[in-house]
Amino acid sequence: MKYAHTTQQAVTWLALASMISSTVIAQQPVPPVPRAEATEIALPLPEDRGAAALEQSLKRLGTWASLMIIIAHPDDEDGSMLTYETRGHGVRASQLTLTRGEGGQNAISADAYDALGIIRTNELLRADQFYGVKQYWGTEADFGFSKTKEEAFAQWGHDRVLYDAVLAIRRERPLVLVSTFVGGVTDGHGQHQVSAAIEQEAYRAAGDPKVFPEQFALGVRPWSPRAVFSRMPFAPVSSKGMFDYATGKWAPMKFYNYVTQEWSDKELSTDVEIPTGSYDPVLGRSYTQIAREGWGEQKSQNGGGNPTLSDGGESEYHRWATSVQGLSGVQKSFFAGMPTGIEGLASLVSAPPDWLKSGLAGIATQVDAAQKQYVAANPEAIAPVLKAGYQATLALRQRVTSSQIPGRERDDLIAELNLKMEQFQQALTQSLGLDLQAFTTRSTSIGGGPFGGGIDETSRSVSPGDRLEVRIHTGNATKAAKLERVWLESSDGHGWTSKESAANGVANPGSDVTLEARVPEDATPTEPYFTRPSIEQPYYDVSRPEWRGRSFAPYPLTAWAEFRYEGVPIRLGEVVQTMQRQVSVGGIFEPLVVTPKIGVRVSPESRILPLDGSPLPVRVTVHTEGPADGEVRLKVPEGWTATPAEAEFHRKVFGDTAAMLFEVKPPAGLQDSSFMIQAEAESDGRKYESGWQWTGHAGLRPYNMYRKAEIKTRAVDVKVAPGLRVGYVMGTGDTVPEAMEGLGVTPHLLTSSDLMSSDLSAWDVIVLGIRAYSARPELGMVQNRLDAFVEGGGTLIVQYQSGTFPAPFSLAMGRTPERVVEESAPVKILDPQNKLLSWPNQITSHDFDGWVEERGHSFLDSWDAAYTPLTETADAGQDPQRGGLLVAHPGKGTYVYMAYAVYRQLPELVPGAYRLLANLLSAPKAGATASGSVPATGTNGR
């Protein structure tokens, strides 16, 4: 390490610091302890336990190097680089992700938009555990694929994005900023370009006190990073220019430096090479291997990651600007030329006094000694050295606080010393083998059964007024520290506990303390603090400004334990957990949350009015956390009627959720417009108008998403052939089958067994859901049966797929499938008389009015002459796309490929999407119209 020299001045300072801090501790009933956030993670990764964890903590103690990466979406991150920096070199790393990925695709479920955003938030938090980074978020919402940064800025607003970036930088104070992208067309996605452009702009803006001064009320101060980097472009750059994968075209070579505001027509230079493929002998894997496992946790986007072999590899970065002088050539570190050792903290002060320099040297000496003396088999041996380092840091902090160092410099220095105190606390905790776990339990517990390992399976949630018991388990592997007290704290400041804390010495380390708690009657539900009125708003509103940038609102209840080691207090905190068992996963911890006593849900959440004029069926489900009685009624628009006017519910036990059926009738002469119907439950004089659902997937920490109990409906002028027998092959999940029910068609969801062995001729139409060929591998094995079904007279409708797939005649997508992202892009009807477009509804370009998010994606690039293209569309500047709706007629039947995002339009009740779907489903009966024997029936247009 760097600190082999130990001056007499440093030795004298250490002795004085030890005396000062010991006196301070003795005089104060509650010693000053750094208040780090309680962990939300009940079970750390293997890399964050035992000897490996302490080894990394000692690396962190020896440096104040820090970086922040700014990206657009979850899964954009350079996880290998982050893991190399954090786990390999002790760098304090953070990540700002502008969006929560809510506009992306979902490879595992039908959750979309804000629900998908919650899933991707938790997936990235899981990946962050592998990377070792702290997560921040922007308020921008992913509105779907964007081809230019101009469109993204127009949607979000430039100042909103800059505000989020500056706030995160000021909170975290990184020495270095990095981005995965460069801010040009090589980034492809326009939102990628924004993340890089704003990273460079924020490099200049964050340190300017005139920029967003209102942020200072949140406790932040101006901060100027020392350097800003971007990863080298991953798209081809050659003599042809730069490849823009968003458009699939080449552009002239031209890069913009947003810091210096200068253009360059030369290739970017590689200024830093990070050896991310390096092997870590303590962790037993390369940093890339660790990172790729984390990246693979983002299953909604990639379906799970592949194993990664141990080999070399590196990440190359370009430097846009730096305050460091004299750098040349390719560096091996972002921090080249920066004094990132502990003594380098003096560089935060323009004229550092000698006592500051010697104090920092003394702390560095203790860290150096701990690193050299550490032996994995005897971690407790370095606890005295860590204690001395902690005391020296505490004493220096106190002196800095009362010093004449200028205000901003003093604040920066205190912030870094606070971080060092937290790091000493963590290292002491690990060297002494201290542990804390807190979870709800039952008074009737008998030890958790054969699977629980002494931990009870309990409800994920509590409601206002509930009583609960929290079991706080502490561990002390070395028995060198004394447990002083344990207590509970609520995040909203309300008193939950009937016992404030356990008295001093109430329990020996390694034993349990059970505290009783009662949820306040005014406790608020645990729900996202970020909301938006509809998916049309491309950003979130935040309920509390101080939470802006957080992953979620704080969980409601935290357990704390305070140990004392030779006069030094050590605090551990953990969000109170519950234990759940998931089939195929086993027992997992999930943070305790608060929910209302009653939740109300309506299904479906959107549906067109019945075509035959019959009442609209509305199902209302009331969920209660225990016994409850009450009434449910519907709020309908003026002139509408609901039958019954009111329905009673009587819930005796948790989980009793039988649905109540209402019938809603609109008035005659209804105009084409959307209408909202709301459900309301009343119990014990209180009204409830929303419900919640756990949003996540197996093995992922879920989170509650709340929705108003309402159904959106609309009268749509649409006709569909009668008596259709439809089979549906669900891909990764969508709501198309529900929309078909609105058309009066009840689809049968085909199982693997149905596809393999049932008589497919029992169906008139088989529809393949989005990405079905990827999600349902059996489709490839039964393609010959599907081909025979079509040749025998059936209709096969294939919605967009994620790659080239088998078909009756050859077809192919480009390497990067084309998409049309402008939802208002003109659509030209190429064959208006084709029966798919003319019966039973005449499809015109107006049927593509009012679409949301996009026209579609995975447009075909080439196809056999047997296919007939029916439409043409394109974004501005894009080549005409005719591969969005193709039809062929193998044998007696009909084969259709549809890249248009009808599945996104149906839940939004876009009339043209229903009319197009009705025509495709009606294809088997279109041939009978000549004789009039099969009339098109059904319309709710009034």
Side-chain angles (χ1 to χ4, degrees), residues 656-712:
D656 180 6
T657 56
M660 291 166 279
L661 181 63
F662 292 80
E663 293 185 338
V664 177
K665 188 75 173 175
L670 194 66
Q671 298 299 312
D672 181 11
S673 181
S674 295
F675 298 89
M676 201 68 72
I677 300 166
Q678 297 180 328
E680 176 186 84
E682 185 171 356
S683 179
D684 290 335
R686 297 189 63 177
K687 294 180 179 180
Y688 303 87
E689 296 182 335
S690 64
W692 63 92
Q693 69 181 48
W694 287 92
T695 305
H697 52 73
L700 178 74
R701 181 176 68 185
Y703 198 83
N704 274 352
M705 181 173 183
Y706 284 75
R707 285 195 176 101
K708 295 283 288 186
E710 56 190 18
I711 176 175
K712 180 169 63 175

Side-chain angles (χ1 to χ4, degrees), residues 571-862:
R571 281 185 187 164
L572 285 73
E574 181 179 274
V575 169
V576 173
Q577 308 282 321
T578 64
M579 197 276 282
Q580 308 294 316
R581 281 192 55 78
Q582 292 185 4
V583 176
S584 81
V585 176
I588 59 173
F589 282 117
E590 296 176 4
L592 178 72
V593 299
V594 175
T595 61
K597 288 183 177 294
I598 292 176
V600 189
R601 295 289 303 275
V602 170
S603 64
E605 295 179 347
S606 65
R607 177 167 291 185
I608 62 174
L609 290 170
L611 304 186
D612 60 3
S614 61
L616 174 71
V618 178
R619 293 177 177 81
V620 180
T621 301
V622 174
H623 169 88
T624 66
E625 293 294 299
D629 300 292
E631 305 81 34
V632 173
R633 61 189 67 88
L634 296 183
K635 297 179 182 180
V636 298
E638 184 176 356
W640 296 50
T641 59
T643 305
E646 183 177 276
E648 295 183 349
F649 65 87
H650 305 281
R651 300 290 182 259
K652 302 301 181 184
V653 295
F654 172 84
D656 180 6
T657 56
M660 291 166 279
L661 181 63
F662 292 80
E663 293 185 338
V664 177
K665 188 75 173 175
L670 194 66
Q671 298 299 312
D672 181 11
S673 181
S674 295
F675 298 89
M676 201 68 72
I677 300 166
Q678 297 180 328
E680 176 186 84
E682 185 171 356
S683 179
D684 290 335
R686 297 189 63 177
K687 294 180 179 180
Y688 303 87
E689 296 182 335
S690 64
W692 63 92
Q693 69 181 48
W694 287 92
T695 305
H697 52 73
L700 178 74
R701 181 176 68 185
Y703 198 83
N704 274 352
M705 181 173 183
Y706 284 75
R707 285 195 176 101
K708 295 283 288 186
E710 56 190 18
I711 176 175
K712 180 169 63 175
T713 189
R714 183 174 191 168
V716 176
D717 182 10
V718 58
K719 305 176 184 66
V720 66
L724 289 172
R725 301 166 300 164
V726 178
Y728 197 92
V729 181
M730 187 66 76
T732 56
D734 57 52
T735 58
V736 175
E738 291 181 10
M740 289 182 186
E741 292 181 11
L743 290 170
V745 177
T746 303
H748 173 77
L749 298 184
L750 295 172
T751 65
S752 296
S753 177
D754 291 334
L755 292 169
M756 292 284 190
S757 58
S758 68
D759 182 8
L760 298 183
S761 65
W763 314 107
D764 300 312
V765 184
I766 294 177
V767 182
L768 304 190
I770 57 176
R771 297 185 295 276
Y773 279 100
S774 298
R776 302 284 295 271
E778 68 271 23
L779 281 175
M781 296 184 284
V782 300
Q783 187 63 41
N784 60 333
R785 302 189 77 233
L786 293 175
D787 291 343
F789 164 76
V790 175
E791 290 173 1
T795 295
L796 181 64
I797 302 170
V798 180
Q799 297 181 79
Y800 98 87
Q801 301 300 309
S802 54
T804 300
F805 51 91
F809 308 108
S810 63
L811 46 74
M813 297 179 194
R815 182 174 180 181
T816 301
E818 289 280 2
R819 61 183 83 193
V820 180
V821 301
E822 297 171 12
E823 57 267 31
S824 58
V827 177
K828 180 180 180 181
I829 305 299
L830 300 177
D831 187 3
Q833 302 309 311
N834 189 288
K835 288 182 180 178
L836 283 183
L837 299 180
S838 61
W839 190 85
N841 308 282
Q842 184 65 54
I843 303 299
T844 72
S845 59
H846 292 295
D847 284 297
F848 295 89
D849 293 344
W851 281 43
V852 300
E853 185 154 325
E854 61 184 345
R855 279 288 181 235
H857 47 100
S858 295
F859 282 70
L860 294 175
D861 185 61
S862 62

